[in-house]
Amino acid sequence: MQDRPPHIFVDPSDGLLTILNGYNHREALFYAGAKYDQVSRATKIIFSEETLGRILDCLPKDVTVDPNLESHLLKWQEKILKLAAIKEKSKANLPSDFPVDFLKMSPFEYQKHGVDFMMSAECCLLGDSMGLGKSVQALAVAIRLKNLGQAKNCLVITPASLKFNWPLEIEKFTNESFVVIDGDPEERVAQWLDTRPFFKIVNYELLDDLFARRKITARVDADQAVKIKVAERKLKAAIRQKLLVDIREGAHDIIIVDELHNSKSFYSQRSMNLKALRSKYRIGLTGTPLDGRLEELFSLMDFIAPGLLGSKKMFWDRHVRTGFDSREVIGYKNIHEVTEKIQPFFLRRKKEEVLSLPEKVYSNRVIELSPVERKIYNDIVKGKHPITKDAEPMVRALRGMQFCTIPAVIEPSCTAHTKMDAFESLIEEICVQNAQKVVIFSQFKTFLDPVEEILKKLGLKWLRIDGDTDKKVRADIQAKFNTDDGVDAVIGTEAASTGLNLQAASYVVNLTDSWQPSIMSQRADRIHRIGSKNSATIISFICRNTIE
């Protein structure tokens, strides 16, 4: 078998360029970005004109080529032109003739273009700005493929915090059945094996059901009872694995991955789980596709279009500049090549390009610390305060920022609280005097308790989302906030800054800012979304002449 010359063809089951009998050339193929697939026992890579040429350069002259490759190449060239035309129509806000009568609600024109693009591309990273309805576009692709007889199932992978948001979206826009993978291990196995629902919704962590990457071990010094219990758990896990082997190795017709940037770490378990799944249609959703390092974009594209950018080593050699330590990234090169290669698989629109949303206004409330607060603050950042003595500069800066918001957290004897006084006045103006709804963010969970005391003092009703909020509850909080006029506010940490639609609010108040601009943008986009009728005002409190 291995003595036969390599044979190249496009596998119709997954649409990937496939190389049989390439064992003797595996190193060159892997460097070019191809990967060995255990199920098909073949080496595979995304099909494009560039990857075809790259693979042919790796193989000997006696390689046999499927005659249909020529027609695939012509279709690829036609696809490139079509995808470019769709992007141009979307950019120009021209009407789309793509049929969407299978949805309960008629989408916007740019969303129709998005569905058309993803259908044509087959594998796509949809990087639309937050609030532009990426989920409904992905759902429309799935339903359209089902109606065409090209898909019998769709796997939706999402962060745990958003897992119960997807059923709301499915029910809102479609009539399709779904199951949420949740509960104890035995319940989850039954849900995985249930072939009736079209949509299966699972969070990243529970993909371990399919791959069992978590080790079950007992300490060496554990007593016999513990060892027996661990052995029982191992046996149950092995039985579950045997039951789920067909799910793991079978090809899902469609895979939708929400917040794909969560798998930007190339070697993480989460990333490896995703890339081990097989599907012809792969859709990644993220509002911040280019908000990190270029090598993180590589990891995202390695799921969407495996091998498009070559192997990790090939990409590193071609596009990354390193310092004296070869692992230290100091810059990038040949970026235009990356941009050009990903265009057939990447679509991004910004709000200002496609929608006339109500105005979004940013406002900073500058706070002047009292003399007492100023003195303590200076001691903190200079390392003269007991809590920051011998502390690193970053720690001193963090403690200083915490002190600016709630002084008693750092110095219990300080009775002044200038920022919280200003915060209370603002919330009273927004909610009590003007009867508007507000979403309040704090970078620190401990700060939410004092916020609750202020809201209680003002006679307001609120809902809270932090890292401890059950994932099932978050969707209920979203629905209640948007529909119940008696709820005045949602307060939360960054756990509330992604995925949720809180458009009933007119204000976002940042009690503390985040270091990351993308997170600040995510906070604002919780209320500045499709369907918003009110202008969005985003207010941040900043203490003058401080780390803030």
Side-chain angles (χ1 to χ4, degrees), residues 44-273:
K44 299 200 169 195
I45 191 171
I46 194 76
F47 180 87
S48 74
E49 189 169 1
E50 199 272 341
T51 55
L52 175 61
R54 193 192 308 161
I55 294 303
L56 287 173
D57 289 341
C58 294
L59 297 174
K61 293 181 179 180
D62 63 348
V63 60
T64 61
V65 178
D66 188 328
N68 290 326
L69 274 185
E70 185 174 347
S71 64
H72 280 292
L73 189 57
L74 290 175
K75 289 179 181 178
W76 168 257
Q77 293 166 345
E78 292 172 357
K79 178 193 286 190
I80 294 295
L81 295 175
K82 180 179 180 179
L83 294 173
I86 295 172
K87 284 187 176 182
E88 286 300 316
K89 289 179 69 176
S90 179
K91 186 176 180 179
N93 291 317
L94 296 176
S96 170
D97 56 2
F98 191 84
V100 288
D101 53 353
F102 48 85
L103 293 179
K104 289 182 178 179
M105 301 173 64
S106 180
F108 291 92
E109 292 300 323
Y110 77 88
Q111 292 176 324
K112 295 179 185 179
H113 289 305
V115 177
D116 193 5
F117 184 92
M118 288 187 281
M119 287 286 297
S120 302
E122 296 186 346
C123 302
C124 178
L125 177 60
L126 182 61
D128 284 351
S129 293
M130 291 166 285
L132 289 185
K134 293 184 288 296
S135 57
V136 65
Q137 294 177 70
L139 291 174
V141 172
I143 304 302
R144 176 66 172 166
L145 289 171
K146 179 189 178 185
N147 293 345
L148 292 174
Q150 297 177 24
K152 296 180 180 179
N153 57 71
C154 176
L155 178 64
V156 179
I157 303 169
T158 173
S161 61
L162 302 178
K163 185 161 67 171
F164 289 92
N165 262 31
W166 275 87
L168 299 178
E169 295 289 291
I170 292 171
E171 291 176 337
K172 180 178 180 180
F173 293 105
T174 81
N175 294 309
E176 294 298 329
S177 57
F178 62 85
V179 62
V180 178
I181 309 296
D182 199 53
D184 62 38
E186 284 66 33
E187 289 177 309
R188 299 200 302 267
V189 168
Q191 293 159 353
W192 278 115
L193 296 175
D194 189 354
T195 58
R196 292 170 298 175
F198 179 71
F199 289 104
K200 280 191 173 74
I201 307 165
V202 65
N203 52 297
Y204 289 100
E205 293 80 4
L206 292 188
L207 285 180
D208 281 340
D209 285 343
L210 304 181
F211 300 101
R213 299 196 190 276
R214 291 176 182 168
K215 293 183 179 180
I216 303 174
T217 59
R219 296 201 320 264
V220 176
D221 59 347
D223 59 33
Q224 189 63 24
V226 171
K227 291 181 178 179
I228 291 173
K229 189 172 183 179
V230 167
E232 291 174 347
R233 290 178 60 200
K234 284 184 177 180
L235 178 60
K236 289 181 179 179
I239 293 172
R240 293 196 298 270
Q241 278 292 289
K242 188 173 182 179
L243 289 171
L244 295 176
V245 66
D246 291 337
I247 304 293
R248 180 178 70 246
E249 297 186 354
H252 301 275
D253 294 333
I254 310 166
I255 296 178
I256 299 171
V257 184
D258 195 10
E259 306 289 348
L260 182 60
H261 55 268
N262 284 295
S263 65
K264 62 186 179 183
S265 178
F266 185 78
Y267 293 111
S268 68
Q269 178 178 311
R270 177 175 293 178
S271 182
M272 289 189 292
N273 283 348

Side-chain angles (χ1 to χ4, degrees), residues 30-35 54 125 260 263-267 271 275 289-290 292-320 332 338 341-342:
F30 292 167
Y31 181 77
K35 299 177 181 179
R54 193 192 308 161
L125 177 60
L260 182 60
S263 65
K264 62 186 179 183
S265 178
F266 185 78
Y267 293 111
S271 182
K275 294 168 188 176
L290 304 174
R293 300 176 298 174
L294 194 60
E295 58 268 33
E296 292 174 350
L297 174 65
F298 170 82
S299 182
L300 305 189
M301 294 307 302
D302 195 48
F303 166 74
I304 298 296
L308 178 71
L309 301 176
S311 63
K312 183 72 179 291
K313 187 177 188 313
M314 181 180 182
F315 182 82
W316 195 271
D317 293 342
R318 183 66 184 163
H319 299 293
V320 179
Y332 301 102
V338 178
K341 288 176 183 176
I342 70 174

